[in-house]
Amino acid sequence: LAKTTQPISMDSYEGQEVNITCSHNNIATNDYITWYQQFPSQGPRFIIQGYKTKVTNEVASLFIPADRKSSTLSLPRVSLSDTAVYYCLVGMDSSYKLIFGSGTRLLVRP
Amino acid sequence: EAGVTQFPSHSVIEKGQTVTLRCDPISGHDNLYWYRRVMGKEIKFLLHFVKESKQDESGMPNNRFLAERTGGTYSTLKVQPAELEDSGVYFCASSQVPYEQYFGPGTRLTVT
């Protein structure tokens, strides 16, 4: 399973776009990239998944360059309620267990 | 549609006692997972059920932990006897699609 590296923390202000980049140099050919969000006192929540290029849903966009060695989660116009920890996960073994790293703690200020 | 529920939300027990955590997955989800986060560490996988069968229990820390899933519905995770290092937050998740797992709010276990 590919190891991921993402910033420990990020600060932003309401209304700004936030981009969180995750490095995964050892990503395998069949690995997908998945992002989860976790609010305090809650379990993680699936945000988005992608394999290459760009994926967009109602919550976020995921940009994946051609070499797939990194990915960027983009949150448009963040609000205070987007303050959370964001996890980048790459790959999944045969039992489909999720491998969590330390995540990025995003703080959105007024 | 109801989400994944866990009971209790908090449990405080003394070292050597037994605790049983319960998870009710989303109806129709065959896959059920247990994870935990101990203080200051990352969320770690414990085990995976497919219906009532244990698919992968490689993350179970030792034989003091016993997980069951009765009839492929709810699941319990028993810790007996509890040790101080078992303190943490225990999450349950369920899914139909493997990568999109729905997590419960967790049970915070404190062993004193």
Side-chain angles (χ1 to χ4, degrees):
Chain A
L1 298 172
K3 177 178 169 57
T4 60
T5 302
Q6 45 182 132
I8 294 174
S9 64
M10 293 181 68
D11 279 17
S12 182
Y13 291 91
E14 282 189 292
Q16 290 188 333
E17 178 184 73
V18 171
N19 296 308
I20 305 174
T21 297
C22 177
S23 298
H24 27 79
N25 292 318
N26 297 323
I27 190 169
T29 303
N30 58 347
D31 283 343
Y32 279 73
I33 300 155
T34 310
W35 285 80
Y36 275 73
Q37 172 192 55
Q38 185 178 23
F39 298 113
S41 301
Q42 293 186 27
R45 181 175 76 108
F46 171 85
I47 301 177
I48 197 166
Q49 186 190 66
Y51 183 79
K52 61 180 180 180
T53 62
K54 176 183 175 182
V55 179
T56 297
N57 62 22
E58 65 278 5
V59 176
S61 294
L62 179 60
F63 298 91
I64 305 168
D67 67 5
R68 302 197 333 116
K69 292 184 183 300
S70 67
S71 59
T72 299
L73 176 73
S74 181
L75 306 172
R77 297 178 298 281
V78 294
S79 64
L80 298 177
S81 62
D82 292 314
T83 293
V85 178
Y86 292 82
Y87 296 97
C88 166
L89 296 87
V90 173
M92 189 174 290
D93 67 15
S94 58
S95 78
Y96 307 124
K97 60 177 176 264
L98 299 177
I99 309 295
F100 288 88
S102 301
T104 297
R105 189 172 300 274
L106 173 66
L107 174 62
V108 180
R109 302 176 187 274
Chain B
E1 179 184 293
V4 176
T5 58
Q6 294 186 244
F7 182 82
S9 57
H10 293 87
S11 180
V12 181
I13 61 172
E14 294 183 353
K15 176 181 172 181
Q17 290 185 323
T18 297
V19 63
T20 300
L21 314 181
R22 173 171 171 143
C23 169
D24 286 82
I26 293 172
S27 178
H29 281 189
D30 290 337
N31 296 283
L32 188 149
Y33 306 81
W34 284 96
Y35 296 83
R36 76 171 179 176
R37 167 185 273 146
V38 295
M39 183 65 72
K41 299 292 183 64
E42 298 160 358
I43 298 172
K44 295 291 188 185
F45 167 84
L46 295 178
L47 87 158
H48 170 208
F49 284 99
V50 177
K51 297 185 179 178
E52 68 275 10
S53 300
K54 292 177 185 175
Q55 181 77 11
D56 179 358
E57 51 184 327
S58 62
M60 295 287 265
N62 51 60
N63 59 9
R64 295 185 294 102
F65 289 74
L66 174 64
E68 295 178 324
R69 189 177 183 192
T70 306
T73 56
Y74 71 93
S75 175
T76 58
L77 179 65
K78 179 189 287 187
V79 184
Q80 179 183 30
E83 299 289 344
L84 298 178
E85 64 265 25
D86 300 332
S87 295
V89 181
Y90 289 77
F91 294 104
C92 173
S94 71
S95 74
Q96 282 291 48
V97 180
Y99 61 81
E100 188 170 352
Q101 296 181 18
Y102 293 82
F103 282 75
T107 292
R108 181 173 296 278
L109 174 64
T110 302
V111 183
T112 62

